[in-house]
Amino acid sequence: MRSRRHPLLAALLATLFVLAAGFGLTGAPPAAAATATPVRIMPLGDSITGSPGCWRSLLWDQLQKGGYTDIDFVGTLNAQSCALTHDADNEGHGGFLATTTADQNLLPGWLAATAPDIVIMHFGTNDVWSSIAPDTILAAYTKLVGQMRAANPAMKVLVAQLIPVNPSSCAECAARTVAFNQRIPAWAQGITTAQSPVTVVDQWTGFDTATDTYDGVHPNASGDAKMAARWYPALSALLTPGEPGEPGEPGSGGCSAAFRTVSTWQGGYQGEVTVTNASSTAAISSWAVTLALPEGSRLTQVWNGTLTGATVRDAGWNGTLTPGASTTFGFLASTSDGAGTPSLTALCSAS
């Protein structure tokens, strides 16, 4: 005789089967795990960014050492001619103007090809050199930011106040750069939004064309170090160390270094650097500070640290710093006569 299944029992069995399938108990293949996506960062600008723009290699190295490893520098250009191995993708086009780039709508194509989450922009030196009015350059900035937001409504933008320029062929460029830089903060404040903030990074203060460029315009090794040191805190504040995905809150790793002059004399000076654990949650076990010394200066003695080249590492006993804790090291340095009060950049990395 054919058996008949009770309707309530059949419904119960069907429900149990569905639940079992949902928990992977029926032999069905498990769902694929989600793939994390690195934060994509576009360096945008002219030859100061791209030819070769070795501040990018220093910035990449600093980010890696600070624990910000889930990142991807992006751009349609890739020139590897710097000493440090790094992700060299960038959008630094030699000779380009910000105004021309905006007028010719070049940026949307670069954005479509690379899909950045963050743009770091040092752009406008050639515009200033060409005596283009600040209002016109800032209008181009506004159009470029609009194109960034059209590609990604949550785009984070870091905009530099330009490094000084003083080429022999442009006597007015230095003053024009100052005048333009003074306009950038108010422009940024007017265009920033909660979803797509625009942050100004001061690349001008403390930068000296006589010692930090090789031609009055393009940074040398000292200038590259200063530029990387200025980008790092602003960029790392948009990242989370060791965790891929969307840009987040300030990172919990890395360190900062602050230099001060203790005393000066003809031909030399004494300096002090305070190293601080920038984390609010994690301790660091070692640190290293690279000093971008002014031209003609060299370290002659260091205490509370060990010296290799222009890098001072912890002395062992002062390497471990709890969250927010600080330590100091001191040094003596020689300098050229008449150099005045020294100004140098200290770039810190930690592990």
Side-chain angles (χ1 to χ4, degrees):
M1 185 174 80
R2 182 182 300 172
S3 63
R4 292 186 298 174
R5 182 177 297 169
H6 194 282
L8 291 176
L9 178 60
L12 176 61
L13 290 173
T15 301
L16 290 173
F17 181 82
V18 171
L19 290 173
F23 284 102
L25 301 178
T26 63
T35 302
T37 303
V39 178
R40 299 169 67 82
I41 303 165
M42 174 190 280
L44 172 64
D46 47 42
S47 58
I48 292 171
T49 295
S51 303
C54 287
W55 61 260
R56 290 182 287 106
S57 69
L58 297 175
L59 179 59
W60 173 266
D61 185 64
Q62 176 72 354
L63 289 166
Q64 298 298 302
K65 291 177 178 177
Y68 303 98
T69 55
D70 295 302
I71 59 173
D72 181 12
F73 279 10
V74 298
T76 60
L77 305 177
N78 183 294
Q80 272 282 15
S81 57
C82 303
L84 290 175
T85 301
H86 65 292
D87 183 345
D89 293 337
N90 73 94
E91 216 64 73
H93 297 262
F96 277 40
L97 281 69
T99 48
T100 302
T101 300
D103 290 343
Q104 296 182 359
N105 294 312
L106 300 178
L107 182 59
W110 302 338
L111 295 168
T114 59
D117 302 299
I118 301 171
V119 173
I120 56 177
M121 185 172 84
H122 186 287
F123 209 179
T125 298
N126 291 313
D127 302 79
V128 171
W129 199 329
S130 301
S131 195
I132 295 175
D135 283 344
T136 305
I137 305 173
L138 292 175
Y141 275 19
T142 298
K143 183 174 181 178
L144 294 175
V145 171
Q147 292 171 338
M148 295 173 198
R149 289 171 173 168
N152 179 357
M155 187 76 76
K156 311 297 188 292
V157 188
L158 302 181
V159 176
Q161 288 177 292
L162 305 176
I163 63 172
V165 292
N166 190 24
S168 58
S169 59
C170 181
E172 301 298 324
C173 278
R176 289 179 198 157
T177 304
V178 172
F180 177 60
N181 280 342
Q182 290 173 343
R183 298 283 301 279
I184 293 176
W187 166 83
Q189 185 176 9
I191 200 172
T192 194
T193 66
Q195 185 181 20
S196 176
V198 176
T199 303
V200 178
V201 177
D202 181 5
Q203 290 286 359
W204 188 88
T205 302
F207 198 100
D208 186 347
T209 57
T211 58
D212 298 325
T213 73
Y214 58 83
D215 60 357
V217 179
H218 299 90
N220 57 19
S222 173
D224 286 329
K226 288 185 177 182
M227 290 191 70
R230 290 300 178 90
W231 284 124
Y232 178 78
L235 181 55
S236 62
L238 302 177
L239 304 170
T240 302
E243 295 181 10
E246 292 299 315
E249 295 302 315
S252 61
C255 59
S256 63
F259 164 77
R260 75 179 183 93
T261 303
V262 178
S263 60
T264 61
W265 54 88
Q266 187 173 4
Y269 62 95
Q270 178 182 337
E272 182 181 83
V273 175
T274 300
V275 179
T276 302
N277 181 354
S279 169
S280 60
T281 59
I284 60 175
S285 58
S286 65
W287 50 263
V289 174
T290 299
L291 300 173
L293 298 170
E295 191 75 21
S297 177
R298 69 180 184 87
L299 300 179
T300 58
Q301 183 180 347
V302 171
W303 53 93
N304 297 339
T306 57
L307 177 64
T308 304
T311 298
V312 178
R313 304 182 186 278
D314 64 82
W317 58 268
N318 59 352
T320 299
L321 296 175
T322 57
S326 299
T327 189
T328 62
F329 69 84
F331 63 88
L332 299 180
S334 62
T335 189
S336 57
D337 291 342
T341 302
S343 174
L344 61 82
T345 300
L347 189 66
C348 187
S349 61
S351 60

